[in-house]
């Protein structure tokens, strides 16, 4: 069982290491914004270095300690996901589900490293941050631009705004996204064992 635990947590570790390597390479070898972007497949897929001060899609908590609260929340979520992964391994749950949770854990920790340390390592905390610790900005670089332009004025709330269909993301984000997609697609297979156990308990 110990080897099983190590094997799946190793998946998380690989995601963390790969995510951090890519971010460090981008930070030291690319200019931020459009000026430094590298086209991979025309305008559709490109490397575009930017920093994200908050949550997904650039959202953030707009008060002095909002970023600190977000980082603390991420730490709590990381601990909860790690415990859930361990419990799934102990219960010998579906292998696909365990791998997906390991990918989510790796992605969560990958972005957490940015929030906790990048304000110090890369001096990228917002200028108004109360402290560089726990206020680092997440580094993103993969830009899949399916569509971008101005939305029609008749669309409520967003009409007239300029919008790109896909945000810029990183290895950690991709790991989480892929894992969630697989869980949604294969949820009946992944949670079949748990459903069978519930049926057996109810029949007993």
């Amino acid at each position: 069982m110990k080897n099983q635990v190590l094997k799946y947590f190793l998946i998380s570790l690989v995601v963390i290491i790969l995510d951090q390597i890519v971010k460090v390479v981008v930070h030291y070898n690319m200019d931020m914004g459009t000026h430094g972007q590298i086209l991979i497949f025309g305008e559709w897929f490109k490397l575009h270095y930017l920093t994200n001060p908050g949550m997904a899609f650039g959202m953030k908590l707009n008060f002095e300690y909002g970023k600190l609260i977000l980082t603390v929340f991420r730490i709590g979520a990381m601990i909860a996901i790690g415990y859930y992964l361990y419990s799934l391994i102990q219960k010998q749950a579906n292998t696909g589900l365990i791998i997906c949770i390991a990918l989510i854990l790796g992605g969560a920790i990958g972005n957490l490293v940015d929030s906790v340390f990048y304000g110090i390592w890369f001096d990228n905390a917002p200028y108004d941050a109360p402290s560089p610790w726990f206020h680092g900005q997440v580094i993103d670089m993969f830009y899949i631009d399916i569509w971008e332009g101005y939305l029609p004025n008749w669309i409520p709330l967003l009409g007239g705004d300029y919008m790109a269909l896909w945000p810029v993301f990183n290895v950690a984000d991709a790991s989480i996204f892929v894992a969630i997609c697989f869980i949604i697609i294969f949820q009946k297979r992944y949670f079949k064992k748990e459903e069978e156990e519930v049926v057996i308990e109810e029949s007993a």
Side-chain angles (χ1 to χ4, degrees):
M1 180 59 68
K2 182 178 180 180
N3 290 337
Q4 290 293 314
V5 172
L6 292 176
K7 178 177 73 173
Y8 291 115
F9 275 93
L10 182 61
I11 294 174
S12 300
L13 181 60
V14 170
V15 171
I16 297 166
I17 293 173
L18 179 60
D19 177 63
Q20 291 301 311
I21 288 175
V22 172
K23 288 172 177 173
V24 169
V25 170
V26 166
H27 175 74
Y28 285 111
N29 294 278
M30 289 184 65
D31 293 327
M32 293 187 67
T34 304
H35 174 71
Q37 74 181 10
I38 301 171
L39 301 182
I40 306 298
F41 296 112
E43 291 290 336
W44 180 74
F45 178 61
K46 48 200 172 187
L47 296 179
H48 184 105
Y49 176 17
L50 60 76
T51 54
N52 178 358
M55 299 175 280
F57 307 106
M59 296 183 292
K60 57 183 178 181
L61 303 176
N62 288 314
F63 53 92
E64 184 178 6
Y65 292 99
K67 176 68 174 182
L68 179 60
I69 292 173
L70 176 60
T71 301
V72 171
F73 172 79
R74 282 175 169 164
I75 293 173
M78 177 198 68
I79 294 171
I81 296 169
Y83 177 78
Y84 181 53
L85 174 60
Y86 180 77
S87 67
L88 288 175
I89 298 170
Q90 291 288 94
K91 293 189 297 184
Q92 297 183 337
N94 182 279
T95 301
L97 176 60
I98 297 175
I99 292 174
C100 285
I101 300 302
L103 291 174
I104 292 173
L105 177 62
I109 295 176
N111 282 333
L112 177 64
V113 170
D114 299 28
S115 296
V116 174
F117 299 109
Y118 278 15
I120 296 293
W121 294 349
F122 298 151
D123 192 27
N124 76 353
Y127 71 94
D128 57 348
S131 167
W133 287 105
F134 295 94
H135 287 84
Q137 300 188 76
V138 175
I139 291 179
D140 294 325
M141 73 293 295
F142 299 120
Y143 192 167
I144 299 179
D145 190 6
I146 294 178
W147 177 86
E148 60 181 305
Y150 288 93
L151 297 175
N153 290 324
W154 54 264
I155 297 179
L157 301 177
L158 300 176
D161 290 344
Y162 180 84
M163 179 176 291
L165 183 59
W166 285 95
V168 186
F169 59 96
N170 55 44
V171 173
D173 298 329
S175 178
I176 294 171
F177 178 78
V178 169
I180 291 175
C181 285
F182 269 83
I183 290 174
I184 293 173
I185 294 171
F186 299 107
Q187 57 182 305
K188 290 186 178 180
R189 181 187 304 175
Y190 287 172
F191 297 102
K192 182 178 180 181
K193 185 175 181 179
E194 284 76 4
E195 293 174 355
E196 290 176 348
E197 290 176 351
V198 170
V199 172
I200 292 174
E201 290 176 358
E202 291 178 349
S203 301

